[in-house]
Amino acid sequence: MVQIVRGLLILLALCLGAPAAAAPPALIPMPLAAVWHDGEVRIGADTVVEGRGEAASTADYLARELGLKSKRGGPSRIQLSLVPTSKIANPEGYYLRATGNEVLIEASDPRGLFYGAQTLRQLVTTKSASRTVPNVEINDSPRFRWRGLLIDLGRHFFGKQTLFKIIDEMAAYKLNVLKLHLTDYQGWRLEIPAYPKLTQVGSLVDGKPQYLTTADVREIVQYAAERHIMVVPEIEMPGHAGAAARSYPEFFNKTGDAFNPAYPKTYDFVRGVLAEVARLFPAPYVDFAGDEVGDAWEGMADVDRLKAEHGLKTSNDVQAYFGRRVVAIIEGLGKRPMAWDDQVDAHAPNSVVIQWWRRDKPEVLKTAAKEGHDLVISPADQLYFDYHQGPGEPGAPWEGNKGGPQSIGKMLAWEPIPGDFTPEESSRVLGIEACVWTEFIATERYLQFMTFPRLLALSEIAWRPKGQRDEAEFTKRLEPHIEALRARGINARRGEWDAYEFITN
Ligand code: TNX
C-alpha cells in the first residue's frame, strides 16, 4: 500500500514537473519567423560540423564554440551551406532547420551563415549529460544593417583583452559595428608613428602611457572581422582634442582643446594622422566626430583673419569651413566621413554619414534626412550606456540625463525611425548604435555592468522588425542570457541590488 501511494506521488510529481511541450529556447534577438516541432536533434561529441568553401570558416568557428572535434560523419551532423541570393536575398539572413539527425543552416553569404550559427549556439540546450537542439524551422534576417556599439577609450582606456570579450558578445547577439572613440581631452589612445608625441605625451595617465599600438589595432580588427564585425575609428576634431593639443600645441587653439583651423599646417597634421588611421582600419568609414566645439576660437587673430578672408561670420561658420576641409581629406583617402549631428548645423556635405545623438533636437535629424545624409541613430535617452539603469543607481550625472533611468523597458518602448519620416528618409537610416561613454567608467567590471544586459536589448531593437515589444516577455527571455553571460565571466547586471557595488558615495 505504502509502495502504491509512493508510486502515485512520484507519478503526480512527474506530471506537474513536466510541461506538455518544452518551452522553446529564449532566443535573443528573436528571429523573424520560427516554427517549432516536436522532437529534437541530439548533439554529441561525434556530431560533425560540415561546411565547404566559403562556409568552412563558420563551420570551424561553430565546431570550436560547441567543442565538436569530429571530422567523420557521425550519427548526427550540422551542415552549413551557401545558396544563391535568389533563395535568400539578405546577405545577413539565413534559414535554419533542425530535424531528424541534422541541423541545416543556409545563407547566401558567410555573414548569414555566421548569424545562423549564433542562433544555433542559443538553441543548444544541455539536459544532464546530453545536448539537444529542438526541432525547428527558422527564417531570419535583420531589420538594420548597422547594429553598433561605441566604446569610449579616450576618457578611460580599455585594452584589447577587454575589447575581445565585448566583440565575442557582440557577435553572439548579431551586432556588427564596433566604433572605437580613440581620442578625447583625457587621452589619445592610438599609436601614430609619424606623430609619436600623440601617445608619448597624449596618452599618459598618472605618468603611464595607455594606448593601442598599431599591432594591437591589427589584432582587434582581425578578431572582429572573423566575427563579421567592422571596427570604425573615431578621431575627434576640431573639439574634444585636449590630448592632441598637449602633444602638438602648434596645431591648436589658445585654450588647448580645439584644432586651429586658420593654421595651414594643421591640415597636414590632420592628413598625416588620418592617413595612418585609414591604413590601420579597413572599414570604409572614418568618423571625425565634429561635436561640441563651442567658442573655441575667440580672441585668435589668425582665426579672425581666416573669417575675414572667407566671409565666415560665426564660430559655426568656422566649424563648417574646418569640417569641409576634413571631409575632403577623408574622401581623398578613399573613405566615407562620419560625424555627429552637430555637423548638420555646420552644413556638412551630404556625403557625410550623420549620427544623431541630441534627442532634444528631432528637427536636426529630420533636416539631415531631408538633405540626403545616411543616418545612424543614437539618441542619448535610449542608447547612452553611461546613463543609470534604475532609480538611485550610478551613472553619468549629466544635466540632460534627467528623463529617468535608461532602463531596458525604456529602450524597448522606443522606435528608432521617427513617425514623420517618408519611406525615402527611412531608407537612409542605416541603423542604430549604443554608446558607452567612459568619463565615469574606470574599471572593466563597471564597464560590463553598464553594457550588459542593455546590449541584448540593443540587439533586439536593431534586429527585429518594427513593432510592439513586450517588456515583460523580453525580461523573461533575458534571464537565462544574463546567467549565461555571468557564467562566461561577464559582469552582467541582474537587478538593482547589483548596483550597490558601484555606489561610492
Ligand atoms: C555627449 S555624443 C558627448 C560625449 C559624452 C557624452 C556623455 C557626443 C557627440 N558627445 O562626448 O561622453 O555626451 O553622455
Short mmCIF file of all heavy atoms in Angstrom, two decimals, residues 155-215:
data_model
loop_
_atom_site.label_atom_id
_atom_site.label_comp_id
_atom_site.label_asym_id
_atom_site.label_seq_id
_atom_site.Cartn_x
_atom_site.Cartn_y
_atom_site.Cartn_z
N ARG A 155 38.35 58.66 -22.60
CA ARG A 155 38.21 59.13 -21.21
C ARG A 155 38.91 58.16 -20.26
O ARG A 155 39.65 58.56 -19.37
CB ARG A 155 36.74 59.28 -20.85
CG ARG A 155 36.12 60.62 -21.21
CD ARG A 155 36.26 60.97 -22.70
NE ARG A 155 35.57 62.19 -23.04
CZ ARG A 155 34.32 62.25 -23.52
NH1 ARG A 155 33.64 61.13 -23.75
NH2 ARG A 155 33.76 63.40 -23.79
N HIS A 156 38.60 56.89 -20.40
CA HIS A 156 39.36 55.86 -19.68
C HIS A 156 39.77 54.82 -20.71
O HIS A 156 39.00 54.47 -21.60
CB HIS A 156 38.51 55.20 -18.59
CG HIS A 156 38.42 56.02 -17.35
ND1 HIS A 156 37.33 56.79 -17.05
CD2 HIS A 156 39.31 56.20 -16.33
CE1 HIS A 156 37.54 57.42 -15.89
NE2 HIS A 156 38.74 57.08 -15.43
N PHE A 157 40.97 54.32 -20.56
CA PHE A 157 41.48 53.38 -21.55
C PHE A 157 41.11 51.95 -21.20
O PHE A 157 41.20 51.54 -20.04
CB PHE A 157 43.01 53.50 -21.65
CG PHE A 157 43.60 52.55 -22.65
CD1 PHE A 157 43.33 52.69 -24.01
CD2 PHE A 157 44.42 51.50 -22.25
CE1 PHE A 157 43.85 51.81 -24.95
CE2 PHE A 157 44.95 50.62 -23.18
CZ PHE A 157 44.67 50.78 -24.53
N PHE A 158 40.68 51.20 -22.21
CA PHE A 158 40.46 49.76 -22.07
C PHE A 158 41.21 49.07 -23.18
O PHE A 158 41.11 49.47 -24.35
CB PHE A 158 38.97 49.43 -22.12
CG PHE A 158 38.21 50.03 -20.97
CD1 PHE A 158 37.62 51.28 -21.08
CD2 PHE A 158 38.15 49.37 -19.75
CE1 PHE A 158 36.96 51.86 -20.00
CE2 PHE A 158 37.47 49.94 -18.67
CZ PHE A 158 36.89 51.19 -18.80
N GLY A 159 41.98 48.08 -22.86
CA GLY A 159 42.87 47.44 -23.83
C GLY A 159 42.19 46.32 -24.60
O GLY A 159 40.99 46.07 -24.48
N LYS A 160 43.01 45.63 -25.39
CA LYS A 160 42.44 44.67 -26.34
C LYS A 160 41.76 43.48 -25.66
O LYS A 160 40.77 42.97 -26.19
CB LYS A 160 43.50 44.21 -27.34
CG LYS A 160 44.67 43.48 -26.75
CD LYS A 160 45.72 43.17 -27.81
CE LYS A 160 46.95 42.60 -27.15
NZ LYS A 160 48.08 42.44 -28.06
N GLN A 161 42.23 43.05 -24.51
CA GLN A 161 41.58 41.90 -23.86
C GLN A 161 40.13 42.23 -23.49
O GLN A 161 39.23 41.39 -23.65
CB GLN A 161 42.35 41.45 -22.61
CG GLN A 161 43.77 40.92 -22.89
CD GLN A 161 43.82 39.81 -23.95
OE1 GLN A 161 42.85 39.09 -24.17
NE2 GLN A 161 44.95 39.69 -24.64
N THR A 162 39.92 43.45 -23.01
CA THR A 162 38.55 43.90 -22.71
C THR A 162 37.72 43.94 -23.99
O THR A 162 36.56 43.51 -24.00
CB THR A 162 38.61 45.31 -22.08
OG1 THR A 162 39.36 45.24 -20.89
CG2 THR A 162 37.21 45.84 -21.78
N LEU A 163 38.34 44.42 -25.06
CA LEU A 163 37.60 44.54 -26.33
C LEU A 163 37.27 43.17 -26.91
O LEU A 163 36.17 42.97 -27.44
CB LEU A 163 38.39 45.39 -27.32
CG LEU A 163 38.59 46.86 -26.89
CD1 LEU A 163 39.47 47.60 -27.90
CD2 LEU A 163 37.26 47.58 -26.71
N PHE A 164 38.20 42.23 -26.83
CA PHE A 164 37.92 40.88 -27.36
C PHE A 164 36.65 40.30 -26.72
O PHE A 164 35.82 39.71 -27.40
CB PHE A 164 39.09 39.92 -27.10
CG PHE A 164 40.34 40.23 -27.89
CD1 PHE A 164 41.60 39.86 -27.41
CD2 PHE A 164 40.28 40.87 -29.12
CE1 PHE A 164 42.76 40.13 -28.14
CE2 PHE A 164 41.43 41.15 -29.86
CZ PHE A 164 42.67 40.78 -29.36
N LYS A 165 36.54 40.46 -25.40
CA LYS A 165 35.36 39.90 -24.71
C LYS A 165 34.08 40.56 -25.19
O LYS A 165 33.05 39.90 -25.37
CB LYS A 165 35.51 40.09 -23.19
CG LYS A 165 36.48 39.11 -22.56
CD LYS A 165 36.54 39.31 -21.06
CE LYS A 165 37.98 39.54 -20.63
NZ LYS A 165 38.10 40.01 -19.25
N ILE A 166 34.16 41.87 -25.39
CA ILE A 166 32.96 42.58 -25.86
C ILE A 166 32.64 42.16 -27.29
O ILE A 166 31.47 41.95 -27.64
CB ILE A 166 33.16 44.10 -25.73
CG1 ILE A 166 33.15 44.47 -24.25
CG2 ILE A 166 32.06 44.87 -26.48
CD1 ILE A 166 33.41 45.92 -23.95
N ILE A 167 33.67 42.01 -28.12
CA ILE A 167 33.46 41.57 -29.51
C ILE A 167 32.79 40.19 -29.54
O ILE A 167 31.87 39.95 -30.32
CB ILE A 167 34.80 41.57 -30.28
CG1 ILE A 167 35.27 43.00 -30.52
CG2 ILE A 167 34.68 40.80 -31.61
CD1 ILE A 167 36.70 43.12 -31.03
N ASP A 168 33.23 39.29 -28.68
CA ASP A 168 32.61 37.96 -28.61
C ASP A 168 31.11 38.07 -28.34
O ASP A 168 30.30 37.38 -28.96
CB ASP A 168 33.23 37.13 -27.47
CG ASP A 168 34.58 36.55 -27.86
OD1 ASP A 168 34.86 36.45 -29.07
OD2 ASP A 168 35.36 36.20 -26.95
N GLU A 169 30.75 38.93 -27.40
CA GLU A 169 29.33 39.06 -27.04
C GLU A 169 28.55 39.80 -28.13
O GLU A 169 27.40 39.48 -28.41
CB GLU A 169 29.15 39.73 -25.68
CG GLU A 169 29.80 38.98 -24.52
CD GLU A 169 29.42 37.50 -24.44
OE1 GLU A 169 28.33 37.11 -24.91
OE2 GLU A 169 30.23 36.72 -23.89
N MET A 170 29.19 40.78 -28.75
CA MET A 170 28.53 41.46 -29.87
C MET A 170 28.19 40.43 -30.95
O MET A 170 27.09 40.42 -31.50
CB MET A 170 29.44 42.54 -30.46
CG MET A 170 29.59 43.77 -29.59
SD MET A 170 30.74 44.97 -30.34
CE MET A 170 29.78 45.54 -31.74
N ALA A 171 29.14 39.56 -31.24
CA ALA A 171 28.93 38.55 -32.28
C ALA A 171 27.80 37.60 -31.87
O ALA A 171 26.93 37.27 -32.67
CB ALA A 171 30.21 37.77 -32.52
N ALA A 172 27.80 37.20 -30.60
CA ALA A 172 26.77 36.27 -30.12
C ALA A 172 25.37 36.86 -30.31
O ALA A 172 24.40 36.13 -30.50
CB ALA A 172 27.01 35.92 -28.66
N TYR A 173 25.29 38.19 -30.22
CA TYR A 173 23.98 38.84 -30.34
C TYR A 173 23.82 39.59 -31.66
O TYR A 173 23.00 40.48 -31.79
CB TYR A 173 23.73 39.72 -29.10
CG TYR A 173 23.59 38.83 -27.88
CD1 TYR A 173 24.65 38.67 -26.98
CD2 TYR A 173 22.46 38.05 -27.71
CE1 TYR A 173 24.55 37.80 -25.91
CE2 TYR A 173 22.35 37.18 -26.65
CZ TYR A 173 23.39 37.04 -25.75
OH TYR A 173 23.30 36.17 -24.70
N LYS A 174 24.64 39.18 -32.66
CA LYS A 174 24.44 39.62 -34.04
C LYS A 174 24.62 41.12 -34.25
O LYS A 174 23.99 41.71 -35.14
CB LYS A 174 23.06 39.16 -34.56
CG LYS A 174 22.84 37.64 -34.46
CD LYS A 174 21.51 37.24 -35.08
CE LYS A 174 21.27 35.75 -35.12
NZ LYS A 174 20.81 35.10 -33.91
N LEU A 175 25.45 41.76 -33.43
CA LEU A 175 25.80 43.16 -33.68
C LEU A 175 26.99 43.17 -34.64
O LEU A 175 27.77 42.21 -34.67
CB LEU A 175 26.15 43.87 -32.37
CG LEU A 175 25.02 43.88 -31.33
CD1 LEU A 175 25.48 44.56 -30.05
CD2 LEU A 175 23.77 44.58 -31.86
N ASN A 176 27.12 44.25 -35.42
CA ASN A 176 28.16 44.18 -36.46
C ASN A 176 29.03 45.42 -36.64
O ASN A 176 29.86 45.44 -37.55
CB ASN A 176 27.53 43.79 -37.81
CG ASN A 176 26.55 44.84 -38.31
OD1 ASN A 176 26.29 45.82 -37.64
ND2 ASN A 176 26.03 44.62 -39.51
N VAL A 177 28.88 46.43 -35.78
CA VAL A 177 29.78 47.59 -35.87
C VAL A 177 30.32 47.93 -34.48
O VAL A 177 29.55 48.17 -33.55
CB VAL A 177 29.06 48.84 -36.42
CG1 VAL A 177 30.04 50.02 -36.51
CG2 VAL A 177 28.42 48.58 -37.78
N LEU A 178 31.64 47.93 -34.35
CA LEU A 178 32.29 48.40 -33.13
C LEU A 178 32.95 49.72 -33.45
O LEU A 178 33.89 49.78 -34.25
CB LEU A 178 33.34 47.39 -32.64
CG LEU A 178 34.18 47.85 -31.44
CD1 LEU A 178 33.33 48.09 -30.20
CD2 LEU A 178 35.29 46.83 -31.12
N LYS A 179 32.43 50.80 -32.85
CA LYS A 179 33.05 52.11 -33.03
C LYS A 179 34.02 52.35 -31.88
O LYS A 179 33.64 52.19 -30.72
CB LYS A 179 31.94 53.17 -33.07
CG LYS A 179 32.39 54.61 -32.97
CD LYS A 179 32.48 55.36 -34.30
CE LYS A 179 31.33 55.27 -35.23
NZ LYS A 179 30.22 56.16 -34.88
N LEU A 180 35.26 52.69 -32.21
CA LEU A 180 36.21 53.00 -31.15
C LEU A 180 36.44 54.50 -31.10
O LEU A 180 36.95 55.09 -32.06
CB LEU A 180 37.54 52.27 -31.37
CG LEU A 180 37.50 50.74 -31.27
CD1 LEU A 180 38.89 50.14 -31.49
CD2 LEU A 180 36.94 50.28 -29.90
N HIS A 181 36.02 55.10 -29.99
CA HIS A 181 36.25 56.54 -29.75
C HIS A 181 37.66 56.62 -29.17
O HIS A 181 37.89 56.33 -28.00
CB HIS A 181 35.19 57.02 -28.75
CG HIS A 181 35.28 58.48 -28.43
ND1 HIS A 181 34.81 59.46 -29.27
CD2 HIS A 181 35.76 59.13 -27.35
CE1 HIS A 181 35.00 60.65 -28.73
NE2 HIS A 181 35.58 60.47 -27.55
N LEU A 182 38.61 56.99 -30.03
CA LEU A 182 40.03 56.79 -29.72
C LEU A 182 40.73 58.00 -29.12
O LEU A 182 41.86 57.89 -28.64
CB LEU A 182 40.77 56.35 -30.99
CG LEU A 182 40.43 54.94 -31.47
CD1 LEU A 182 40.82 54.75 -32.93
CD2 LEU A 182 41.12 53.89 -30.61
N THR A 183 40.10 59.17 -29.24
CA THR A 183 40.79 60.37 -28.77
C THR A 183 39.79 61.29 -28.09
O THR A 183 38.63 61.37 -28.48
CB THR A 183 41.38 61.15 -29.97
OG1 THR A 183 40.33 61.73 -30.75
CG2 THR A 183 42.21 60.24 -30.87
N ASP A 184 40.26 61.96 -27.04
CA ASP A 184 39.42 62.96 -26.38
C ASP A 184 40.31 63.82 -25.51
O ASP A 184 41.54 63.72 -25.58
CB ASP A 184 38.28 62.31 -25.57
CG ASP A 184 37.03 63.17 -25.62
OD1 ASP A 184 37.07 64.30 -25.07
OD2 ASP A 184 36.02 62.74 -26.20
N TYR A 185 39.70 64.67 -24.69
CA TYR A 185 40.50 65.56 -23.86
C TYR A 185 41.46 64.76 -22.97
O TYR A 185 42.63 65.08 -22.83
CB TYR A 185 39.59 66.45 -22.99
CG TYR A 185 40.37 67.54 -22.32
CD1 TYR A 185 40.60 68.75 -22.96
CD2 TYR A 185 40.95 67.32 -21.06
CE1 TYR A 185 41.37 69.73 -22.37
CE2 TYR A 185 41.72 68.30 -20.47
CZ TYR A 185 41.93 69.50 -21.12
OH TYR A 185 42.71 70.47 -20.55
N GLN A 186 40.93 63.70 -22.37
CA GLN A 186 41.69 62.95 -21.37
C GLN A 186 42.81 62.09 -21.95
O GLN A 186 43.78 61.79 -21.26
CB GLN A 186 40.74 62.05 -20.56
CG GLN A 186 39.76 62.80 -19.67
CD GLN A 186 38.50 63.23 -20.42
OE1 GLN A 186 38.48 63.39 -21.64
NE2 GLN A 186 37.43 63.45 -19.67
N GLY A 187 42.67 61.66 -23.20
CA GLY A 187 43.74 60.80 -23.71
C GLY A 187 43.64 60.55 -25.21
O GLY A 187 42.56 60.54 -25.80
N TRP A 188 44.82 60.35 -25.81
CA TRP A 188 44.93 59.93 -27.22
C TRP A 188 45.36 58.47 -27.17
O TRP A 188 46.41 58.13 -26.64
CB TRP A 188 45.96 60.79 -27.95
CG TRP A 188 46.08 60.44 -29.40
CD1 TRP A 188 46.72 59.36 -29.94
CD2 TRP A 188 45.52 61.16 -30.50
NE1 TRP A 188 46.59 59.36 -31.31
CE2 TRP A 188 45.86 60.46 -31.68
CE3 TRP A 188 44.75 62.34 -30.61
CZ2 TRP A 188 45.46 60.90 -32.95
CZ3 TRP A 188 44.38 62.77 -31.88
CH2 TRP A 188 44.73 62.04 -33.03
N ARG A 189 44.55 57.57 -27.71
CA ARG A 189 44.73 56.13 -27.47
C ARG A 189 45.18 55.32 -28.67
O ARG A 189 45.01 54.10 -28.69
CB ARG A 189 43.42 55.53 -26.95
CG ARG A 189 42.79 56.26 -25.80
CD ARG A 189 43.69 56.25 -24.58
NE ARG A 189 43.05 56.96 -23.48
CZ ARG A 189 43.72 57.40 -22.43
NH1 ARG A 189 45.03 57.20 -22.33
NH2 ARG A 189 43.09 58.03 -21.46
N LEU A 190 45.72 55.99 -29.68
CA LEU A 190 46.10 55.26 -30.89
C LEU A 190 47.50 55.67 -31.33
O LEU A 190 47.76 56.86 -31.55
CB LEU A 190 45.10 55.59 -32.01
CG LEU A 190 45.43 55.00 -33.39
CD1 LEU A 190 45.35 53.47 -33.36
CD2 LEU A 190 44.48 55.58 -34.44
N GLU A 191 48.38 54.69 -31.47
CA GLU A 191 49.73 54.97 -31.92
C GLU A 191 49.72 55.48 -33.37
O GLU A 191 49.15 54.84 -34.25
CB GLU A 191 50.57 53.69 -31.85
CG GLU A 191 51.99 53.88 -32.30
CD GLU A 191 52.82 52.59 -32.40
OE1 GLU A 191 52.22 51.49 -32.40
OE2 GLU A 191 54.04 52.70 -32.46
N ILE A 192 50.34 56.64 -33.59
CA ILE A 192 50.52 57.17 -34.94
C ILE A 192 52.02 57.38 -35.11
O ILE A 192 52.57 58.36 -34.60
CB ILE A 192 49.78 58.53 -35.12
CG1 ILE A 192 48.29 58.42 -34.77
CG2 ILE A 192 50.00 59.10 -36.53
CD1 ILE A 192 47.43 57.70 -35.77
N PRO A 193 52.71 56.44 -35.78
CA PRO A 193 54.17 56.51 -35.81
C PRO A 193 54.73 57.85 -36.29
O PRO A 193 55.77 58.31 -35.79
CB PRO A 193 54.54 55.36 -36.77
CG PRO A 193 53.41 54.39 -36.61
CD PRO A 193 52.18 55.23 -36.42
N ALA A 194 54.04 58.52 -37.22
CA ALA A 194 54.56 59.80 -37.73
C ALA A 194 54.46 60.92 -36.69
O ALA A 194 55.16 61.93 -36.81
CB ALA A 194 53.80 60.19 -39.00
N TYR A 195 53.61 60.75 -35.70
CA TYR A 195 53.44 61.77 -34.64
C TYR A 195 53.54 61.09 -33.28
O TYR A 195 52.54 60.92 -32.58
CB TYR A 195 52.10 62.48 -34.81
CG TYR A 195 52.02 63.29 -36.08
CD1 TYR A 195 51.35 62.81 -37.21
CD2 TYR A 195 52.63 64.55 -36.17
CE1 TYR A 195 51.30 63.54 -38.38
CE2 TYR A 195 52.58 65.29 -37.34
CZ TYR A 195 51.91 64.78 -38.44
OH TYR A 195 51.86 65.51 -39.60
N PRO A 196 54.77 60.71 -32.89
CA PRO A 196 54.94 59.88 -31.69
C PRO A 196 54.49 60.55 -30.39
O PRO A 196 54.10 59.86 -29.45
CB PRO A 196 56.45 59.59 -31.67
CG PRO A 196 57.07 60.62 -32.55
CD PRO A 196 56.05 60.97 -33.59
N LYS A 197 54.52 61.89 -30.36
CA LYS A 197 54.13 62.55 -29.11
C LYS A 197 52.65 62.35 -28.77
O LYS A 197 52.25 62.48 -27.61
CB LYS A 197 54.47 64.05 -29.18
CG LYS A 197 55.97 64.33 -28.94
CD LYS A 197 56.24 65.81 -28.74
CE LYS A 197 56.24 66.55 -30.06
NZ LYS A 197 56.52 67.99 -29.93
N LEU A 198 51.85 62.05 -29.79
CA LEU A 198 50.42 61.84 -29.51
C LEU A 198 50.23 60.80 -28.41
O LEU A 198 49.36 60.94 -27.55
CB LEU A 198 49.68 61.41 -30.79
CG LEU A 198 49.42 62.52 -31.80
CD1 LEU A 198 48.89 61.95 -33.11
CD2 LEU A 198 48.46 63.57 -31.23
N THR A 199 51.05 59.75 -28.47
CA THR A 199 50.94 58.74 -27.42
C THR A 199 51.98 58.94 -26.31
O THR A 199 51.68 58.69 -25.15
CB THR A 199 51.04 57.32 -28.02
OG1 THR A 199 52.05 57.29 -29.03
CG2 THR A 199 49.71 56.91 -28.65
N GLN A 200 53.19 59.41 -26.67
CA GLN A 200 54.20 59.63 -25.63
C GLN A 200 53.73 60.67 -24.62
O GLN A 200 54.01 60.56 -23.43
CB GLN A 200 55.52 60.11 -26.26
CG GLN A 200 56.28 59.01 -26.98
CD GLN A 200 57.37 59.55 -27.89
OE1 GLN A 200 57.61 60.77 -27.96
NE2 GLN A 200 58.05 58.67 -28.60
N VAL A 201 53.02 61.68 -25.10
CA VAL A 201 52.50 62.73 -24.22
C VAL A 201 50.99 62.55 -24.00
O VAL A 201 50.51 62.54 -22.87
CB VAL A 201 52.79 64.14 -24.82
CG1 VAL A 201 52.17 65.23 -23.94
CG2 VAL A 201 54.28 64.35 -25.01
N GLY A 202 50.29 62.41 -25.12
CA GLY A 202 48.83 62.50 -25.06
C GLY A 202 48.12 61.30 -24.45
O GLY A 202 46.93 61.38 -24.15
N SER A 203 48.83 60.17 -24.27
CA SER A 203 48.13 59.00 -23.73
C SER A 203 48.41 58.79 -22.25
O SER A 203 47.92 57.83 -21.65
CB SER A 203 48.54 57.74 -24.50
OG SER A 203 49.75 57.21 -23.97
N LEU A 204 49.23 59.70 -21.66
CA LEU A 204 49.68 59.44 -20.29
C LEU A 204 48.55 59.52 -19.27
O LEU A 204 47.74 60.44 -19.28
CB LEU A 204 50.78 60.45 -19.89
CG LEU A 204 52.09 60.37 -20.69
CD1 LEU A 204 53.10 61.39 -20.14
CD2 LEU A 204 52.68 58.96 -20.65
N VAL A 205 48.52 58.52 -18.39
CA VAL A 205 47.61 58.52 -17.25
C VAL A 205 48.48 58.28 -16.02
O VAL A 205 49.11 57.23 -15.92
CB VAL A 205 46.54 57.41 -17.39
CG1 VAL A 205 45.63 57.41 -16.17
CG2 VAL A 205 45.74 57.57 -18.67
N ASP A 206 48.53 59.26 -15.13
CA ASP A 206 49.45 59.19 -13.98
C ASP A 206 50.86 58.82 -14.44
O ASP A 206 51.50 57.93 -13.86
CB ASP A 206 48.96 58.17 -12.94
CG ASP A 206 47.59 58.54 -12.41
OD1 ASP A 206 47.30 59.75 -12.33
OD2 ASP A 206 46.79 57.62 -12.11
N GLY A 207 51.30 59.45 -15.51
CA GLY A 207 52.66 59.24 -15.99
C GLY A 207 52.87 57.98 -16.81
O GLY A 207 53.96 57.73 -17.30
N LYS A 208 51.79 57.18 -16.95
CA LYS A 208 51.94 55.92 -17.72
C LYS A 208 51.20 55.99 -19.05
O LYS A 208 50.05 56.40 -19.09
CB LYS A 208 51.38 54.74 -16.91
CG LYS A 208 52.23 54.36 -15.74
CD LYS A 208 51.86 52.94 -15.26
CE LYS A 208 52.33 52.72 -13.83
NZ LYS A 208 51.38 53.21 -12.81
N PRO A 209 51.88 55.54 -20.15
CA PRO A 209 51.19 55.56 -21.45
C PRO A 209 50.08 54.51 -21.50
O PRO A 209 50.27 53.38 -21.03
CB PRO A 209 52.31 55.21 -22.45
CG PRO A 209 53.39 54.57 -21.65
CD PRO A 209 53.27 55.06 -20.23
N GLN A 210 48.94 54.89 -22.06
CA GLN A 210 47.82 53.95 -22.19
C GLN A 210 47.22 54.12 -23.58
O GLN A 210 46.47 55.07 -23.81
CB GLN A 210 46.76 54.24 -21.12
CG GLN A 210 47.26 54.00 -19.72
CD GLN A 210 46.13 53.70 -18.76
OE1 GLN A 210 44.98 54.02 -19.01
NE2 GLN A 210 46.47 53.08 -17.64
N TYR A 211 47.56 53.21 -24.46
CA TYR A 211 47.06 53.35 -25.84
C TYR A 211 47.15 52.02 -26.57
O TYR A 211 47.79 51.08 -26.10
CB TYR A 211 47.87 54.41 -26.58
CG TYR A 211 49.35 54.07 -26.77
CD1 TYR A 211 49.79 53.43 -27.93
CD2 TYR A 211 50.29 54.39 -25.79
CE1 TYR A 211 51.13 53.11 -28.10
CE2 TYR A 211 51.63 54.08 -25.95
CZ TYR A 211 52.05 53.44 -27.11
OH TYR A 211 53.38 53.12 -27.28
N LEU A 212 46.50 51.96 -27.75
CA LEU A 212 46.60 50.79 -28.62
C LEU A 212 47.77 51.00 -29.58
O LEU A 212 47.85 52.03 -30.24
CB LEU A 212 45.31 50.61 -29.44
CG LEU A 212 44.01 50.41 -28.66
CD1 LEU A 212 42.82 50.38 -29.64
CD2 LEU A 212 44.04 49.11 -27.86
N THR A 213 48.65 50.02 -29.66
CA THR A 213 49.72 50.08 -30.66
C THR A 213 49.11 49.73 -32.03
O THR A 213 47.99 49.20 -32.10
CB THR A 213 50.83 49.06 -30.36
OG1 THR A 213 50.25 47.75 -30.45
CG2 THR A 213 51.40 49.27 -28.96
N THR A 214 49.87 50.00 -33.09
CA THR A 214 49.36 49.63 -34.42
C THR A 214 49.17 48.12 -34.49
O THR A 214 48.22 47.64 -35.12
CB THR A 214 50.32 50.11 -35.53
OG1 THR A 214 51.60 49.56 -35.28
CG2 THR A 214 50.41 51.62 -35.57
N ALA A 215 50.03 47.36 -33.80
CA ALA A 215 49.88 45.89 -33.79
C ALA A 215 48.59 45.49 -33.07
O ALA A 215 47.88 44.58 -33.51
CB ALA A 215 51.09 45.24 -33.14
#
